Amino acid sequence: MPTAYADRWARGRGVRGAYSPGTAPKTAPDGHHGGMAGLEGIEQPRGDSRAAAARWSPAVEDEQGLKALELFGNPTEAEVPLPSRPESAATARRLAQVVVLRTWRLTPKLAEDTVLLVSELVGNAVRHTGARVFCLRMRRRTGWIRVEVRDPSRGLPCLMPVQEMDISGRGLFLVDKLADRWGVDLLPRGKTTWFEMRVADR
């Protein structure tokens, strides 16, 4: 696959974001047309769970995040493997939420942005890689947080042009807008897609 590399400069520090122009993912059976976003219509709440689902906010810590941490593991300590299924997006969001709010004690706004971008990376891994499992990892160093999603595909995500009214294909567009830095690291077997955000250390 021909690969282009775009050097982006984030506030004076260079970052290499990899993308492959003109190699948009094939249309999925449900009609989705590429990009990282694309969990539309998934995890629709049923019955009595609708009210609880509607109340959930990534900015407010909840018990399900703590249960996910206990069940699947802590992504700040090691990679957390998750099955490559749409329902794993909810698990990844809960893990990101509890890490940002409880483990790192950062702001609700940062939790919202992190949860959104985690959902986009997971959506890409689930829909476009053909993987059985993907892995979530979260790291923190002075002034920065970093979130990584690793999968066994070496196909690179596309940064696609997005129109204002588009409702799909916005995944990398959102990552590019909200993250301070992002990129793709090719591995001998697969790749890691990551983003980093600045934080104010207390």
Side-chain angles (χ1 to χ4, degrees):
M1 179 183 298
T3 303
Y5 289 92
D7 288 320
R8 299 178 58 237
W9 293 90
R11 301 183 186 182
R13 301 186 69 176
V15 179
R16 175 162 288 176
Y19 67 98
S20 182
T23 56
K26 295 180 180 179
T27 302
D30 62 359
H32 179 67
H33 287 278
M36 279 191 176
L39 297 177
E40 300 90 349
I42 291 172
E43 299 177 58
Q44 294 300 320
R46 294 182 174 83
D48 295 337
S49 65
R50 288 177 180 172
R55 286 196 301 268
W56 186 78
S57 166
V60 180
E61 186 180 318
D62 73 334
E63 290 185 7
Q64 290 189 33
L66 296 175
K67 289 179 181 177
L69 201 68
E70 182 178 341
L71 182 61
F72 294 96
N74 189 332
T76 68
E77 297 174 355
E79 283 190 341
V80 173
L82 295 170
S84 190
R85 297 196 299 261
E87 55 266 29
S88 291
T91 301
R93 288 194 293 267
R94 302 280 184 177
L95 291 171
Q97 174 211 45
V98 75
V99 165
V100 172
L101 292 178
R102 174 174 283 241
T103 305
W104 291 341
R105 300 190 181 279
L106 298 172
T107 67
K109 177 62 169 66
L110 187 67
E112 288 182 351
D113 289 347
T114 302
V115 166
L116 173 61
L117 298 190
V118 164
S119 191
E120 301 302 333
L121 297 191
V122 169
N124 187 59
V126 169
R127 283 185 173 268
H128 304 303
T129 67
R132 294 182 180 180
V133 174
F134 66 89
C135 295
L136 176 68
R137 185 78 161 96
M138 300 179 68
R139 308 171 190 269
R140 185 177 179 185
R141 67 182 191 277
T142 303
W144 294 91
I145 65 168
R146 178 183 175 99
V147 178
E148 304 172 350
V149 172
R150 183 174 63 82
D151 65 72
S153 169
R154 299 188 91 237
L156 297 173
C158 300
L159 181 55
M160 302 174 66
V162 175
Q163 302 300 319
E164 185 176 352
M165 299 302 292
D166 288 349
I167 59 173
S168 66
R170 303 179 68 92
L172 264 186
F173 174 80
L174 288 173
V175 173
D176 194 58
K177 289 294 182 183
L178 293 179
D180 289 287
R181 307 194 289 211
W182 67 272
V184 182
D185 297 336
L186 286 176
L187 308 171
R189 295 183 179 180
K191 67 178 179 297
T192 297
T193 307
W194 55 269
F195 68 85
E196 294 185 340
M197 302 178 79
R198 291 182 182 271
V199 298
D201 288 301
R202 299 176 180 177

